[in-house]
Every structure is written in C-alpha cells, then in structure tokens.
C-alpha cells in the first residue's frame, strides 16, 4: 500500500476512535450513575489490560517489561487529560467542552511547531483558520458562559493531550509505548479515585468505560502514535479538529440527534480546512 495512503487511512481511523471516545464519555456521564473518577480509572485500567493482552499474544511481553518502556511524563499527561475531560463534563455542556478542549490542543501543538522551527504558509494558516472557524460555527451558537472550574479543567485536559501527542512523535514502537503509558497511568487514576471519595457504578457505566478504555482509547492512541512521526505539529493539530464534527455526526446516527444545516456547513468548513493543511506541507523556518 502507498505510504501516503496508509497514513491517511490510519489517521482517519484514529480520528474515528477519538470521536467514539467522546460519545462514550458523553453517554456514560450523562445517562448512567458512574462518577468521573470511577470512569477515568476503569477507562485507563481497561486500556492498559487490553494493550497488554495484545502484546502478550503478539510477542509474549509481560507487564514488567511494558512498565519499563513507558514514559512517565506521557503517562501523567494521559491521566491528566482523561481525568480533566471527565470531571469537566460535570459542569460543561458537550459543545462548550469540545470547543475548549480542541482549542487548547490546537494552540499547544501550533505553538510547539513554531518553537521547533515550522514555517506556516499562508495557505496552511488559511486552512487552519477555516477549520477553526467551522468548529466555532458548529459549537458556539447557543453555548452559555461555562463554569470557571469546568473550563479550566477542560483547558488543562487539552494542553495535556497536546503534550501527549508531541511526546508520542518520537516513539519507535507505538503499541508498546502506548501500553506502557497506560500502565503507568493506572496508579495515578487509583489515587484520584480514592481522593475523589465519590464511588458510583452501574452496569452501563462500567461497559461504556471499558469500551472507552480498551477500544477507543487503547487502540485509537496506539494508531495515533504510529502515524504521528509522519505528521507535522500543525497538521496534527488541525486534523484533530475533525473529531468534534465526527462526534456530532455520531450523535446524529447513534443518539437520534437532529441534523441541522449549521452542522453540514461546519463539517464542510472543517474538513476543507484540514484538506488545505494536508495539501500544503510546512517547511523549516529560516533562522
């Protein structure tokens, strides 16, 4: 298979997993009894277990080896993202949370790209602006002012996911690295679970958390780590703006949400902006 086509297909698959993760989180925290700390713990633990099982079948790798290949800063960023995401949605609407999260990711990755010497062409900047504008059109109308605590938590989650993405670009074995990060994040999630002191479970909430951790997070992040070395920070930032659109479309298909003209126009703007960023690659900035 052509390398560019493979990167495109894997990147698209990762974005679908990310969107599924968003849907699972929304459903679990709004329609079941599970609390955010319990959801975060189950999500991370199930992701670590599922990835270890895959590696065990493939090459007989044991948990001790996986723990050694993890990256503590990445594991901390993974935990902060997952916990911040879940706790923020206690006081934010889905639209407000998505806007804050992906705006923070975008700013983090673009700033890192600029600091590392990437030069953003006018076409790329126009594409990024078009994609971000489409996201605003989709999410901003009708959104009330967010609670300050939820807004801060979601912004922190976005910065953490941006850092996790940047640190993942240097991984030589994406699946092993992701498994190691998940395993190292488990004790952090356990500590958060005990400190939160609000332990509520139900069958549906547990199921959604396990699906979020094992499939949408574990496999999705491993795929994302695999394609990251082929993407610039600017490209990685803009591509992830597609996730709220995909999540909104998933809501239409699976949660019986109404289709709107605004949704269609915003989708065209975001996907068109992403196409511009992908078509015109960044070049090193002259010093």
């Amino acid at each position: 298979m052509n390398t560019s086509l493979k990167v495109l297909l894997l990147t698209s698959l990762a974005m679908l997993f990310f969107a599924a993760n968003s849907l699972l989180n929304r459903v679990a925290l709004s329609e079941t009894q599970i609390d955010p700390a319990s959801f975060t713990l189950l999500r991370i633990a199930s992701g670590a277990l599922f990835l270890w099982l895959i590696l065990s079948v493939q090459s007989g790798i044991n948990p001790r080896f996986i723990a050694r290949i993890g990256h503590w800063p990445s594991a901390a960023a993974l935990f902060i993202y997952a916990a911040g995401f879940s706790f923020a949605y206690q006081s934010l609407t889905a639209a407000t949370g998505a806007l804050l999260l992906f705006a923070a990711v975008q700013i983090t990755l673009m700033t890192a790209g600029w600091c590392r010497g990437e030069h953003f062409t006018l076409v790329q900047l126009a594409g990024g602006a078009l994609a971000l504008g489409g996201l605003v059109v989709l999410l901003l109308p009708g959104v009330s002012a967010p609670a300050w605590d939820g807004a801060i938590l979601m912004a922190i989650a976005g910065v953490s996911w941006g850092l996790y993405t940047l640190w993942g670009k240097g991984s030589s074995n994406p699946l092993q690295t992701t498994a190691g990060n998940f395993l190292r994040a488990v004790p952090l999630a356990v500590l958060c679970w005990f400190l939160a002191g609000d332990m509520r479970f139900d069958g549906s909430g547990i199921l959604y958390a396990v699906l979020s951790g094992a499939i949408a997070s574990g496999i999705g992040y491993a795929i994302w780590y695999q394609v990251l070395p082929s993407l610039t920070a600017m490209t990685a930032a803009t591509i992830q703006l597609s996730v709220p659109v995909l999540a909104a479309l998933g809501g239409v298909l699976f949660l019986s949400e109404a289709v709107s003209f605004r949704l269609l126009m915003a989708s065209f703007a975001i996907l068109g902006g992403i196409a511009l960023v992908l078509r015109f690659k960044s070049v090193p900035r002259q010093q």
Side-chain angles (χ1 to χ4, degrees), residues 115-164:
C115 292
R116 291 180 175 183
E118 287 184 24
H119 173 69
F120 304 152
T121 66
L122 290 178
V123 175
Q124 277 194 308
L125 291 174
L130 179 62
L132 186 58
L135 181 61
V136 171
V137 168
L138 175 64
L139 299 177
L140 192 58
V143 175
S144 59
W148 68 268
D149 53 345
I152 291 175
L153 284 172
M154 191 60 83
I156 292 174
V159 172
S160 298
W161 177 248
L163 293 175
Y164 186 79

Side-chain angles (χ1 to χ4, degrees), residues 1-23:
M1 181 183 294
N2 180 275
T3 302
S4 298
L5 178 59
K6 181 179 179 181
V7 170
L8 176 61
L9 292 176
L10 289 176
T11 302
S12 300
L13 184 59
M15 295 305 101
L16 288 174
F17 277 122
F18 292 170
N21 209 6
S22 179
L23 291 173

